Amino acid sequence: MPRIDQLLAAGTTYSFEFFPPQTDAGERKLRNTLNELEPLGPSFVSVTYGAGGSTRERTHRIVVDMLERTTMTPMAHLTAVCHTRDELAAILARYRDAGVQNILALRGDAPQDVHPFWELERAVDLVELAREVGGGSFAVGVAAHPEGHPLSPDLAMDRRHLAAKLRVADFGVTQFFFAVESYLAMVEEVAAHGCDTPIVPGVMPVTNVRQIERFAQLSGAAFPVALADRLHAVEDRPDEVRRIGVEVATELCQRLLDAGAPGLHFYTLNSSTATREIYANLGLPALA
């Protein structure tokens, strides 16, 4: 199975992200989405990890199933919150033994209604643990926030922490954003700290106005007022919302590619339609 750092070294990557469903119906929907997106030949696909390990087994099962039953290269998310070091080491060992070679190492946000703890306090610590457990077999990525992590006291400190994290990782993947300038400024500011680790921009096409506003608030991403007004004017027409969302995301993706971004990472929300439309608009050939 290819490592993501090797894929990035070889050229531009195109990747998709999914979350573990909580119901049987959700799993059926995800499988349909995977069947619809697999022919596009994504460079890799990622599967998120629920707060506090709430989807631990589902995430593992989906990742291993992708590895064994599809042509897609999976990346497993893993968060340190509410896990001991030994628990995290055991999870990483299971992935290693199953042949999974790509991990996204995250500190993780505090889950609701649970008192959080971090035995590994920083994402850097989880990256180092993955190196130790994997014996060099894992390509390890970390998260980046173009507009700064919502818990960072200021952007300057955010960039220092991000650069330190990226130096020990193989690549970064960003939270979604809407302004290409935010991404380009982040890359430039991290480079000023002597770090040139590739950072793949994350793109989330708007298909539900209220949902994306909530996601933006939680992640610290700025939701442009002009775009919000445009979407709210048609929010009772889902097809029109998706059309605008696809149009805006396509423009963002093209500008990112033109600016030399190392790839595009699509947040699919377990649905294929918007992602396939953007892919077609960009004229991207299937990589399979």
Side-chain angles (χ1 to χ4, degrees):
M1 180 178 71
R3 287 172 45 129
I4 293 171
D5 54 346
Q6 297 168 342
L7 294 171
L8 286 164
T12 307
T13 63
Y14 302 97
S15 52
F16 309 138
E17 182 161 304
F18 309 102
F19 63 85
Q22 298 290 344
T23 65
D24 291 341
E27 289 213 16
R28 288 193 294 272
K29 177 184 177 182
L30 175 57
R31 291 188 184 281
N32 288 336
T33 296
L34 294 176
N35 289 336
E36 291 165 349
L37 290 176
E38 186 175 10
L40 298 183
S43 308
F44 64 93
V45 296
S46 69
V47 182
T48 64
Y49 193 78
S54 57
T55 64
R56 180 192 304 188
E57 290 305 319
R58 283 181 182 269
T59 296
H60 186 274
R61 184 173 71 250
I62 292 168
V63 168
V64 174
D65 189 64
M66 284 180 178
L67 180 64
E68 295 178 345
R69 299 176 183 271
T70 77
T71 60
M72 296 183 287
T73 295
M75 173 175 71
H77 291 215
L78 183 59
T79 62
V81 62
C82 296
H83 284 320
T84 66
R85 187 182 189 280
D86 287 346
E87 287 173 334
L88 293 165
I91 294 169
L92 287 164
R94 285 183 68 195
Y95 280 128
R96 179 200 63 206
D97 295 345
V100 175
Q101 291 186 287
N102 300 295
I103 300 290
L104 191 69
L106 307 163
R107 179 178 185 270
D109 299 322
Q112 295 182 347
D113 303 322
V114 175
H115 182 68
F117 70 91
W118 287 268
E119 189 167 316
L120 299 186
E121 295 184 353
R122 306 169 301 161
V124 168
D125 301 323
L126 185 53
V127 174
E128 291 172 347
L129 179 62
R131 300 284 191 220
E132 178 184 327
V133 173
S137 64
F138 290 131
V140 187
V142 294
H145 291 72
E147 293 152 321
H149 192 284
L151 297 181
S152 292
D154 57 61
L155 199 57
M157 182 171 288
D158 177 86
R159 297 309 189 234
R160 288 196 296 272
H161 283 286
L162 177 58
K165 189 166 59 169
L166 285 165
R167 286 192 197 97
V168 300
D170 296 301
F171 60 93
V173 179
T174 80
Q175 180 56 265
F176 72 90
F177 58 94
F178 294 98
V180 67
E181 293 80 10
S182 298
Y183 169 80
L184 296 177
M186 177 194 65
V187 172
E188 183 177 333
E189 289 155 6
V190 169
H193 287 282
C195 181
D196 61 357
T197 304
I199 307 173
V200 180
V203 177
M204 183 181 288
V206 178
T207 56
N208 180 303
V209 188
R210 303 293 180 181
Q211 183 184 55
I212 203 75
E213 286 179 326
R214 185 172 69 255
F215 289 167
Q217 183 178 25
L218 291 171
S219 69
F223 193 43
V225 173
L227 177 58
D229 290 344
R230 189 180 174 194
L231 290 166
H232 279 300
V234 297
E235 63 181 319
D236 59 338
R237 289 179 280 162
D239 288 346
E240 185 65 7
V241 170
R242 192 186 78 245
R243 185 194 68 77
I244 294 171
V246 166
E247 175 189 306
V248 170
T250 299
E251 180 182 355
L252 174 62
C253 289
Q254 189 62 64
R255 291 186 65 194
L256 287 165
L257 292 175
D258 291 344
L264 298 171
H265 187 67
F266 293 96
Y267 291 97
T268 70
L269 300 181
N270 288 12
S271 180
S272 72
T273 305
T275 301
R276 286 188 288 116
E277 289 173 348
I278 296 166
Y279 205 90
N281 290 346
L282 293 170
L284 300 176
L287 302 178

